[in-house]
Amino acid sequence: MKKLNLVLASADREYVELFMHYVQSSEFVHEVTMKSFTQLESFRYYVQHESSVDLILGEEAFLAMESTANCACPILLLSEDIGGSGATETGKKIGKYQPLHVLLSTLLSKYGGERNLSLNDGDKTGRTKVISIYSAVAGMGKSTLALNFCRQLTLQGQRVFYLSLEMLNGSALLFDAYRSPPAVDPANRLSKLLYYLKSERSVDELLTEWNAFKSSGATMNFDYFDPLHNLDEMKQINQQDARRLLDLIQRSGAYDTVVVDLDSAMEERTIAAMEYSDKLFWLLQDDALMLWKTEQVLQYLELHQSSQSLSALLHKTCFAVNKYLGQMVNPVRSSRIRVSAHLPYIAAWKQIDQPQVLLQAATFQSAVMKLCVEEGATMYG
C-alpha cells in the first residue's frame, strides 16, 4: 500500500518534534511519510515546488491563500478548539490536542486507504498492563518518568491510570498546577477506599462505586487518586492491600495501562507492586552513593525473596540511567544490574518554579517514547 505523504506545518517546535518522533517509532512509520516545517517561508517554498504531497496539516498562520493557492491536495487546519479522544474532524479542521494515535488513524482512514485499526491498542488480550517505576534513592526522577509515561501512553490512544504509592506524593503539585483553584478532596476518597479494602469489602462491590473514588484530569487525560490527608494511611498499606487495590483498578476494565509510582523504601506495598507489575523500570544515576544503595536494595531482596521470585523480578526489570550525560563515570559493580536504557539530563529542570515544565521537555519525552516502544510499554506482543 502506498504511504500517505503528509506535510505538517506548525510554529510549535515541541509539538512537531513529538509528532515526528511518534510516527518514526510506531507502526505508523509503515504508512506515513512526513515532512515538517516550523518556518513559514520554508513551508511555502516546499508546497509550491513539490507535487507529491497527499495531505497538508497546518496551523492557520501557514495556510494563507498565497502559501497554498496552487496545492491540489487536501488541506486541514490544526485547531486548538477541537479536541477529545474520538475522530474529531469537522469540515476542514482537525483537533490538534487529541491522542496522536487517534489523529493519525483518522487521517489514514480518510486520506490513506484502509488500515488495521488495532495498532497500538494496548493489550490485545484485554488485560490491563501494569508498569512500575522505582529507584533506591528518593529524588531520582521516579515521578517525572511515571507522569511522562502517562502522557506518552495517552498520546498513543491508551486509557491510563496513574497510581502513586509514595509516602509523599509529589505529583499533587503537578495536578494542582493544571487546576485553578487547586483542588481539595474533602471527602478523602482514597482513604475511604483503603478502609473498605482492609475491611474485606468485596472487589465486585467496590467496582460498582469505582467512579466515586478516582479523580480525572481534563488536561492530563488520565485518571488518578488525590493524595491522602494522613500519611500514616499510606504506610499502613500492606502487601494484601496493595494487591487488592491493583486488582480493583485492573478489573474496572477502564484502563489499558496502570503506571505505578513506587516509594523508594522497601515497604510491603512497594514489594507487592513490584511483584504484581508486568514491567519494572528501575532508575539509576551516575553517582557512587546511589549505585551503592541500589546494590544494598538488591542484597536485601536476595535475603527476603526466593531465588525464583528474585529471578522473575529481574527478568522483567529495565535498569535505566536517568540524567545521563553521554558516558558513565562510576562503574556498575553488581552483575545483577544490566543497564538497558538512558534518559537525558535536562538542564532546565535544575531549578523549577512551574511543575508543569516536567511534561514539556521534548528531548525527555522523545526518550520516554523510545523507552515505551523498545521495552514493550506500548502494547503486548
Side-chain angles (χ1 to χ4, degrees):
M1 184 177 68
K2 179 180 177 292
K3 289 186 178 183
L4 178 71
N5 192 350
L6 174 65
V7 171
L8 174 65
S10 169
D12 186 341
R13 289 182 178 275
E14 180 184 335
Y15 181 81
V16 169
E17 288 178 13
L18 284 173
F19 200 121
M20 293 289 290
H21 189 85
Y22 176 66
V23 170
Q24 292 162 7
S25 60
S26 70
E27 291 291 338
F28 288 102
V29 72
H30 303 300
E31 301 177 78
V32 178
T33 299
M34 282 196 67
K35 290 284 288 186
S36 64
F37 299 90
T38 58
Q39 300 293 325
L40 177 58
E41 289 305 316
S42 300
F43 167 74
R44 181 180 297 168
Y45 181 86
Y46 182 83
V47 298
Q48 289 177 352
H49 293 84
E50 180 56 59
S51 60
S52 64
V53 178
D54 296 321
L55 177 66
I56 294 174
L57 189 62
E59 294 172 348
E60 188 172 9
F62 288 81
L63 303 184
M65 189 63 85
E66 62 269 20
S67 297
T68 58
N70 298 321
C71 294
C73 67
I75 299 171
L76 291 179
L77 171 66
L78 269 178
S79 173
E80 297 185 11
D81 299 327
I82 308 173
S85 58
T88 56
E89 187 183 359
T90 304
K92 292 187 176 181
K93 294 182 178 181
I94 194 164
K96 179 178 179 180
Y97 295 116
Q98 59 180 305
L100 292 179
H101 169 264
V102 177
L103 189 154
L104 285 161
S105 295
T106 301
L107 298 181
L108 284 165
S109 67
K110 290 189 175 291
Y111 305 103
E114 294 185 0
R115 66 185 302 273
N116 180 1
L117 295 178
S118 66
L119 298 175
N120 289 329
D121 282 342
D123 183 359
K124 301 298 186 294
T125 66
R127 177 181 173 274
T128 300
K129 188 170 187 177
V130 178
I131 62 176
S132 290
I133 319 296
Y134 176 76
S135 69
V137 182
M140 289 290 301
K142 283 189 289 81
S143 297
T144 300
L145 178 58
L147 291 165
N148 274 278
F149 258 128
C150 292
R151 186 168 191 264
Q152 288 304 320
L153 293 173
T154 56
L155 285 173
Q156 294 175 37
Q158 291 201 32
R159 303 164 300 162
V160 178
F161 191 93
Y162 168 76
L163 174 62
S164 176
L165 292 179
E166 287 192 297
M167 179 67 74
L168 298 173
N169 182 357
S171 65
L173 282 174
L174 186 64
F175 295 143
D176 281 348
Y178 283 101
R179 295 185 288 199
S180 183
V184 177
D185 183 18
N188 207 4
R189 290 170 289 175
L190 178 54
S191 177
K192 289 184 179 179
L193 177 57
L194 293 174
Y195 172 79
Y196 293 146
L197 289 172
K198 283 185 175 293
S199 64
E200 300 295 329
R201 193 167 170 184
S202 73
V203 170
D204 288 335
E205 188 177 356
L206 292 173
L207 283 172
T208 64
E209 305 173 36
W210 171 247
N211 288 332
F213 298 119
K214 68 178 180 66
S215 293
S216 300
T219 305
M220 305 297 288
N221 292 321
F222 54 83
D223 292 347
Y224 55 91
F225 293 127
D226 280 312
L228 290 164
H229 296 182
N230 183 352
L231 298 183
D232 284 337
E233 291 182 284
M234 181 61 72
K235 193 172 182 63
Q236 290 165 6
I237 296 176
N238 59 32
Q239 292 200 31
Q240 181 180 353
D241 299 333
R243 292 192 187 99
R244 294 194 73 207
L245 180 59
L246 286 163
D247 279 341
L248 178 65
I249 299 171
Q250 276 199 326
R251 288 182 56 187
S252 72
Y255 308 104
D256 300 302
T257 304
V258 180
V259 178
V260 188
D261 191 353
L262 297 173
D263 199 275
S264 293
M266 282 283 100
E267 304 282 0
E268 285 192 38
R269 65 184 185 280
T270 301
I271 296 172
M274 282 180 166
E275 294 173 344
Y276 195 103
S277 298
D278 299 292
K279 192 72 182 180
L280 175 64
F281 292 92
W282 190 317
L283 286 184
L284 308 172
Q285 192 171 318
D286 189 6
D287 177 270
L289 180 59
M290 189 286 310
L291 290 171
W292 179 83
K293 288 186 176 182
T294 298
E295 292 167 3
Q296 296 304 301
V297 170
L298 287 171
Q299 289 180 20
Y300 175 88
L301 290 172
E302 283 189 64
L303 291 172
H304 294 84
Q305 300 264 348
S306 67
S307 59
Q308 185 177 2
S309 296
L310 182 58
S311 177
L313 181 68
L314 292 174
H315 180 72
K316 64 184 179 184
T317 297
C318 168
F319 288 100
V321 177
N322 197 17
K323 303 178 184 179
Y324 185 59
L325 294 172
Q327 62 180 12
M328 292 282 286
V329 175
N330 295 282
V332 177
R333 294 186 173 86
S334 174
S335 61
R336 295 191 180 278
I337 301 175
R338 297 180 180 179
V339 176
S340 56
H342 300 85
L343 296 164
Y345 172 73
I346 307 299
W349 290 353
K350 193 169 183 179
Q351 291 182 308
I352 293 176
D353 60 352
Q354 299 293 327
Q356 58 266 40
V357 303
L358 295 172
L359 298 181
Q360 296 171 355
T363 304
F364 192 82
Q365 290 177 40
S366 295
V368 172
M369 185 181 293
K370 181 180 178 183
L371 197 59
C372 285
V373 173
E374 292 181 352
E375 296 296 334
T378 53
M379 59 183 177
Y380 280 103

